[in-house]
Amino acid sequence: MAKKTVASLQTSSKRLTKAIKMVKSPKSGAYTFVESVMTPEEVDNFLKKK
């Protein structure tokens, strides 16, 4: 499974990161990409989830 943190986004008072991970579908076996914008502290937990 490939995983990558793509960009750091800055808003007025919060620092946010956009994370993208590739997830394999259990039904078809195809890979899809899941994107999420979160704080940098939450990125590791997001990437560890299946």
Side-chain angles (χ1 to χ4, degrees), residues 2 7-8 18 20 24 28 30-32 36 38 42:
S8 292
K18 181 177 183 179
I20 301 173
K24 187 172 184 178
S28 66
Y31 285 93
T32 58
S36 183
M38 65 198 76
E42 298 173 350

Side-chain angles (χ1 to χ4, degrees), residues 19-23 32-36 46:
I20 301 173
K21 71 177 174 179
M22 195 166 71
V23 179
T32 58
F33 292 94
V34 178
E35 298 182 18
S36 183
F46 172 73

Side-chain angles (χ1 to χ4, degrees), residues 5-11 13-20 36-47:
T5 301
V6 174
S8 292
L9 308 172
Q10 289 236 317
T11 59
S13 63
K14 294 183 181 179
R15 185 168 167 243
L16 300 173
T17 301
K18 181 177 183 179
I20 301 173
S36 183
V37 176
M38 65 198 76
T39 61
E41 294 80 25
E42 298 173 350
V43 172
D44 287 334
N45 289 334
F46 172 73
L47 294 176

